[in-house]
Amino acid sequence: MARHVRPLTPRGTAGAGGLRAALGRQGWFAPAALVLGGGFLFLSLYPYARLVLASLRDGGAFTLAHYLNVARHDYLLSTPLLHSLVVSAATAVLSTALGTLLAWLAVRTDLAGRHAMTAFVAIPHIVPSFQLASSWIVLFGDAGIVKSVTGLTPFPAYGVAPLVAVQTIHLTVFSYLNVAGALGSLDPSLEEAARAGGLNARQVLRRVTFPLMLPSILSGMLLAFAYSMAEFGAPILLAAPAGFGTLTTQIYELSTAPPLQFGEAAVLSLLLGVLALAVMAINLRLLARGSFVTVSGKSSSGEITRLRGLRAPLAALAWIWLTATALAPLAALVLISLLGSWGRGFGPGNLTLAHYSTMLASHTLTNALWNSLALALGAAALAAATGFIAAYGAVRLKTAWGAWLDRMSFVNFATPGLVVGIAFVLAFSGPPVNLFGTYWILLFGYFVRFAGLAVRGVSANLRQLSSELEEAGLVCGLGRSRVLARITLPLLRESLAAGFLLVFVNAIKEVSMTSLVASQGTETLAYEAFLRYSDGDYTVGSAYSVLMVTIALVGSLIIARRSRLASGELSS
Amino acid sequence: MKIVLEAVSKSYGATPAVRSLDLGVESGELFTLIGPSGCGKTTTLRMVAGLIEPSAGRIRFGEQLVADPVAGVTVPTERRNLGMVFQSYALWPHLSVRRNCSLGLEVRRLPAGQARARADEALAMVGLAGMAERYPHQLSGGQQQRVALARAIALRPQVLLFDEPLSNLDAALHEQMCAEIRSVQRRLGITTVYVTHNQAEAMMVSDRIGVMRDGRLLQVGTPEEVYVHPRDEFVAAFFGKANVLRGEAAGGKLRIAQRTLAVSAPLAPGVAALLIRPEAVAFAQSGENLFEGNILHASFLGGHVEYEVRIEVLDTTLRVQTLSSEPLRSGRASLRLPPERLVPLGRAD
């Protein structure tokens, strides 16, 4: 034997064995972890610290004046808080009812076209909510499409009801995906046992299936609530003009409209941030306490309910709703972008490509497009790299810093964008670190806000990979960085790509943080569109938005295809 | 090349996993560590691989010290020149079968052509010559197992390690792979440590077996030695079925209740336990150590029949095995316990 024996060279280190020791010794991992992980933690924690400081300081002196001021004035605290809670509760309940019903129809009935439903529920979530709000206004407003075509005004253009409607359409996807996923992976023998025990189909649904789905349903409701609390684009376009302020619009006003009151804005931001985090924490606890859903490995997906006489009417209702919510906002968007001017009707005489040609010729567009692409790509790359570092540190090396990166990335993602925006403005618009007016503040903002999307996916992927795959690499003589480069990273490529794309798409659509930290020259497509909408200039705004929505839809389509490919690979 | 473990211990916090283990694996030998889950066998194997560092003790490969925490010596896994077959096979799903086998050679800067030839040679050795272009998920469980074996031997390692390699295979394949691993290891003559909890597997593949429990090595011996002369009740019960008789030893005989048993082996006076395997008990009408009993139950098991026989005078129920070619029995029966087949057992700790 020993025809190809390499000399055994001992090393004078006695740390832990295996992977931990291998990575500790040398290679690119440690410096990369230090720079990315340290950078991420600094960019997360420092702004929050400044936010807390700002709420406690007036000039140079510590004071509780901002808190007292907020508590004393209804227009600052109780009114917007109540409004936010009411709108979010209504949105959560409605979107959950709708999402649960649609999920059941899609997974457990013989409804026509049920397999295509997921895409139609997802599209209104891919389209940013400020765009849905704008589409609502151009559809149902005084000079809107519906009124000029039919002469009717079936829905009000502004106010609470449109806000709830738009947010419900935007957020139904949470309950839908939660419940559809749970129904799909529910062990069918649980229901079969109930049938064998003498319960009829309806009793099984009520006594067995529904209770088992309850954690998933509640979780979808909490997610919708938290997102709704954080919404900024829809309330500022739809509800603020009707005099209905929410926490987010109030914060925006305090920090952008003179007289600027950053102290009070900071207090409200802290309140909103804590509320959002609390709801997300409850959701995590709910999911951790155990869902009853088990992956049984059997392909049978439970009993399909025959809708019989209800089949046609239910299908008609469901598909009218799905088509309307998925396609009408997009159709309205495109139509408006082709209008010569808003308010002159929709006849062929008023249709033009002028906005596109003006836009294409203008420096503003190319600037915004390149800003959007460069910032989103940069943030996505940083986030994917950090996702790998955090996931490896937390899952494989089981280090404290890995766990903190993981936790911090989740906190940042759960914190409303507007709150992150305020914190960044406070932290980086003056000494010691002045980034205001630069691209860096946006790049770091998107990175901090969305890195959680990459961390979560990569961690989940890494948890599924047996560490024996990497140990086998060590045994085969690869060692250290080669195991990472030739085994670990290639095996994580799907989740890294998915994380990259998710961050990219979300950064492309971002307005709530952007509206606070962007400045002249660093505007993005989404921000340009949002600015135009805020000024009532729907036609030019829509031209920007068409570009932004197209990029977001294409990105999301790639994500969906890749994930289907990946799951197909697994099941084959 | 010999593998030597000297007083090797591993503890996690205050919990000891392996306690001061001494072990020598001879050059070219296939040595199996066996025991119930949590006995420390996998920890020991992983310490040999360098995937876990011992808390104390020394591990040598031949003359070379590979682990000695006191002296601060650690040869990292990738420099120990190992081949290892994992329980999950750990085949890299993103690489073809051939690349799975050749990756370790590529990083050793072997020319691509040679690496490829060596991988194909290893694949041919396990009967997968035509499968080199495939990917792991396109193979059956048994084929994946073979790739894992081929990957381990393609490196021409000085030590082969197996961590419960066959626990995911069905019974028929299991037996076939046992034979295959044995023949490949014999042909290459590589010093091998093999971990399993399956006694039949251990007996098929091993030159010697070490039985572990609670982080300690209870007994080391050939498959025959540990079966025929188990050190204590635990080892006896671990390998095959065991009848254990307890009594008071005096004058070379064992006294149970009012009866005495003649025993050929020397017996120390005092409380004692004797082992007799089910196939050693015979239905007989005459001879030494003859006892009457009631057949409680008979199970037909294919090649043989197993009886449970209650013997009132010894206050015990014995398992008895006969060939199924003999006529099936029922009712009362007379059993003989041959004195030379009664094996004194040490006390289990």
Side-chain angles (χ1 to χ4, degrees):
Chain A
M1 50 168 287
R3 281 149 299 195
H4 193 73
V5 175
R6 293 213 309 184
L8 300 175
T9 42
R11 287 166 168 270
T13 53
L19 290 169
R20 293 185 67 157
L23 284 176
R25 279 193 296 271
Q26 53 171 292
W28 47 267
F29 188 81
L34 194 68
V35 171
L36 277 170
F40 181 76
L41 286 180
F42 170 75
L43 289 172
S44 312
L45 292 171
Y46 178 62
Y48 292 142
R50 291 297 298 259
L51 182 65
V52 174
L53 268 183
S55 77
L56 287 168
R57 271 217 301 223
D58 198 2
F62 278 92
T63 171
L64 287 175
H66 303 308
Y67 287 88
L68 294 173
N69 199 18
V70 162
R72 226 177 281 133
H73 294 96
D74 282 353
Y75 80 95
L76 281 177
L77 178 66
S78 56
T79 310
L81 177 61
L82 185 72
H83 286 178
S84 278
L85 290 174
V86 167
V87 167
S88 302
T91 303
V93 169
L94 284 174
S95 71
T96 303
L98 199 63
T100 305
L101 179 68
L102 288 173
W104 181 73
L105 287 172
V107 179
R108 288 299 185 86
T109 67
D110 57 351
L111 193 84
R114 63 199 186 98
H115 295 297
M117 216 186 262
T118 304
F120 281 79
V121 180
I123 287 172
H125 188 68
I126 297 166
V127 176
S129 62
F130 79 89
Q131 178 53 50
L132 289 184
S134 155
S135 292
W136 180 280
I137 294 166
V138 301
L139 278 167
F140 300 116
D142 267 345
I145 298 171
V146 172
K147 195 177 176 193
S148 34
V149 174
T150 65
L152 302 171
T153 44
F155 305 114
Y158 300 98
V160 186
L163 177 60
V164 171
V166 160
Q167 294 197 353
T168 299
I169 292 167
H170 186 55
L171 300 174
T172 298
V173 71
F174 290 122
S175 290
Y176 175 86
L177 287 181
N178 258 6
V179 176
L183 276 176
S185 56
L186 182 69
D187 184 350
S189 60
L190 292 172
E191 290 171 310
E192 286 158 12
R195 288 305 287 269
L199 280 73
N200 66 29
R202 188 164 303 184
Q203 288 167 325
V204 170
L205 190 64
R206 200 160 53 88
R207 303 271 188 95
V208 178
T209 317
F210 184 72
L212 288 174
M213 290 299 109
L214 211 50
S216 308
I217 294 173
L218 282 176
S219 158
M221 196 185 294
L222 288 172
L223 271 177
F225 185 85
Y227 266 78
S228 180
M229 288 290 290
E231 274 297 345
F232 165 68
I236 197 118
L237 292 177
L238 282 175
F244 185 88
T246 63
L247 269 182
T248 49
T249 61
Q250 187 60 259
I251 292 169
Y252 183 71
E253 208 159 295
L254 288 171
S255 48
T256 54
L260 297 182
Q261 289 176 280
F262 272 113
E264 281 72 13
V267 174
L268 291 185
S269 297
L270 285 173
L271 173 69
L272 179 59
V274 167
L275 272 174
L277 286 178
V279 174
M280 290 298 217
I282 295 170
N283 182 32
L284 275 191
R285 173 142 320 169
L286 181 78
L287 291 177
R289 218 183 45 192
S291 68
F292 311 102
V293 175
T294 54
V295 179
S296 66
K298 292 178 200 158
S299 56
S300 126
S301 61
E303 202 175 343
I304 296 290
T305 305
R306 310 222 164 277
L307 296 171
R308 299 207 175 83
L310 285 173
R311 193 164 180 241
L314 271 177
L317 273 179
W319 278 107
I320 288 172
W321 171 263
L322 288 166
T323 330
T325 54
L327 301 185
L330 294 177
L333 167 62
V334 174
L335 181 59
I336 294 303
S337 75
L338 294 173
L339 283 187
S341 64
W342 175 240
R344 286 227 207 110
F346 300 87
N350 197 21
L351 290 184
T352 170
L353 284 169
H355 302 299
Y356 287 93
S357 53
T358 330
M359 208 173 67
L360 283 172
S362 81
H363 175 67
T364 336
L365 170 92
T366 40
N367 185 50
L369 178 60
W370 291 124
N371 285 351
S372 271
L373 288 176
L375 289 169
L377 287 173
L382 281 176
T386 306
F388 173 69
I389 297 283
Y392 210 85
V395 175
R396 210 47 113 219
L397 307 182
K398 306 205 188 319
T399 56
W401 59 259
W404 274 105
L405 279 180
D406 192 56
R407 243 171 266 152
M408 208 57 227
S409 74
F410 177 78
V411 165
N412 291 341
F413 184 66
T415 304
L418 201 68
V419 177
V420 178
I422 293 271
F424 261 61
V425 168
L426 291 168
F428 299 124
S429 59
V433 194
N434 193 356
L435 300 175
F436 205 79
T438 69
Y439 291 107
W440 296 108
I441 193 168
L442 282 159
L443 177 72
F444 292 151
Y446 295 143
F447 168 44
V448 160
R449 183 148 147 63
F450 295 125
L453 289 168
V455 174
R456 200 173 42 172
V458 180
S459 304
N461 192 342
L462 193 58
R463 245 176 232 116
Q464 289 171 338
L465 288 182
S466 157
S467 57
E468 288 190 348
L469 287 166
E470 290 158 79
E471 288 168 358
L474 290 179
V475 167
C476 281
L478 270 71
R480 319 186 213 339
S481 12
R482 273 188 185 147
V483 168
L484 283 178
R486 307 199 57 167
I487 297 173
T488 319
L489 280 172
L491 288 176
L492 292 175
R493 67 184 187 279
E494 279 304 326
S495 62
L496 284 169
F500 181 93
L501 282 168
L502 273 173
V503 174
F504 175 80
V505 167
N506 276 281
I508 285 283
K509 298 190 295 182
E510 219 295 333
V511 290
S512 50
M513 188 193 80
T514 314
S515 65
L516 291 171
V517 300
S519 48
Q520 193 117 48
T522 64
E523 298 95 342
T524 63
L525 281 178
Y527 181 54
E528 288 283 0
F530 173 73
L531 276 182
R532 300 294 191 290
Y533 291 157
S534 307
D535 295 343
D537 186 356
Y538 293 103
T539 51
V540 177
S542 296
Y544 281 99
S545 199
V546 164
L547 259 183
M548 181 262 301
V549 169
T550 306
I551 297 174
L553 282 173
V554 169
S556 303
L557 188 70
I558 298 173
I559 297 173
R561 297 195 70 163
R562 287 189 78 106
S563 69
R564 208 169 310 144
L565 261 180
S567 61
E569 240 170 60
L570 279 176
S571 63
S572 72
Chain B
M1 190 198 59
K2 221 176 137 153
I3 303 173
V4 178
L5 282 71
E6 293 168 22
V8 169
S9 299
K10 177 70 191 178
S11 42
Y12 295 100
T15 323
V18 173
R19 310 171 197 232
S20 192
L21 196 87
D22 288 299
L23 176 66
V25 180
E26 298 300 329
S27 188
E29 177 182 42
L30 194 157
F31 188 94
T32 296
L33 287 170
I34 194 170
S37 62
C39 71
K41 57 188 189 297
T42 295
T43 305
T44 306
L45 185 81
R46 290 169 68 83
M47 285 193 284
V48 173
L51 296 171
I52 299 178
E53 283 195 20
S55 313
R58 277 184 293 276
I59 302 176
R60 290 174 200 283
F61 284 7
E63 294 306 304
Q64 173 74 53
L65 196 59
V66 296
D68 184 350
V70 177
V73 174
T74 307
V75 176
T77 301
E78 66 269 21
R79 288 166 189 245
R80 290 192 186 191
N81 203 0
L82 306 168
M84 184 160 176
V85 177
F86 291 85
Q87 181 169 15
S88 65
Y89 312 151
L91 298 181
W92 300 308
H94 61 300
L95 299 179
S96 68
V97 164
R98 178 182 288 128
R99 293 283 319 279
N100 258 281
C101 296
S102 66
L103 185 60
L105 298 165
E106 288 166 32
V107 302
R108 283 166 205 213
R109 308 205 189 286
L110 213 64
Q114 264 188 56
R116 194 187 147 103
R118 285 259 293 270
D120 287 349
E121 185 190 333
L123 285 168
M125 205 173 222
V126 299
L128 287 180
M131 305 275 185
E133 306 292 335
R134 298 209 189 171
Y135 281 80
H137 69 269
Q138 298 170 310
L139 303 181
S140 70
Q143 289 169 331
Q144 291 182 5
Q145 166 70 61
R146 284 161 198 268
V147 176
L149 180 59
R151 179 173 71 184
I153 60 177
L155 301 171
R156 299 187 183 162
Q158 51 181 354
V159 170
L160 257 181
L161 304 173
F162 291 85
D163 184 11
E164 308 235 7
L166 304 179
S167 54
N168 295 324
L169 296 181
D170 62 45
L173 258 179
H174 186 267
E175 201 159 310
Q176 193 187 339
M177 281 310 299
C178 266
E180 194 128 346
I181 286 174
R182 184 70 185 131
S183 92
V184 167
Q185 190 268 341
R186 270 279 153 77
R187 234 184 306 163
L188 299 174
I190 306 173
T191 311
T192 301
V193 183
Y194 191 107
V195 160
T196 181
H197 61 267
N198 180 317
Q199 50 97 6
E201 184 179 324
M203 295 193 134
M204 275 186 79
V205 300
S206 315
D207 291 308
R208 286 192 303 154
I209 296 175
V211 187
M212 288 187 73
R213 185 191 190 188
D214 295 336
R216 290 201 175 85
L217 204 52
L218 295 182
Q219 185 174 4
V220 174
T222 64
E224 192 187 349
E225 280 164 2
V226 293
Y227 183 79
V228 178
H229 294 288
R231 199 194 75 144
D232 59 25
E233 255 182 72
F234 176 79
V235 178
F238 206 87
F239 290 95
K241 291 166 178 169
N243 295 305
V244 177
L245 301 161
R246 285 183 195 77
E248 191 77 21
K253 297 193 173 211
L254 188 75
R255 185 163 194 89
I256 305 174
Q258 301 305 314
R259 309 292 291 265
T260 55
L261 276 172
V263 183
S264 305
L267 258 186
V271 178
L274 293 177
L275 163 75
I276 185 161
R277 297 283 182 190
E279 69 274 14
V281 186
F283 289 103
Q285 298 304 324
S286 62
E288 256 183 312
N289 295 345
L290 212 58
F291 298 95
E292 287 261 304
N294 274 325
I295 294 177
L296 303 177
H297 188 73
S299 313
F300 182 81
L301 298 174
H304 56 265
V305 179
E306 195 172 290
Y307 297 92
E308 275 174 41
V309 184
R310 177 76 196 160
I311 300 180
E312 288 299 339
V313 290
L314 297 179
D315 189 22
T316 188
T317 304
L318 291 181
R319 292 188 190 197
V320 183
Q321 233 179 55
T322 65
L323 293 178
S324 53
S325 49
E326 292 177 27
L328 216 58
R329 296 162 190 275
S330 61
R332 276 195 83 69
S334 162
L335 294 177
R336 192 167 80 87
L337 312 182
E340 70 280 8
R341 306 293 295 270
L342 288 163
V343 182
L345 294 173
R347 212 165 301 155
D349 309 298

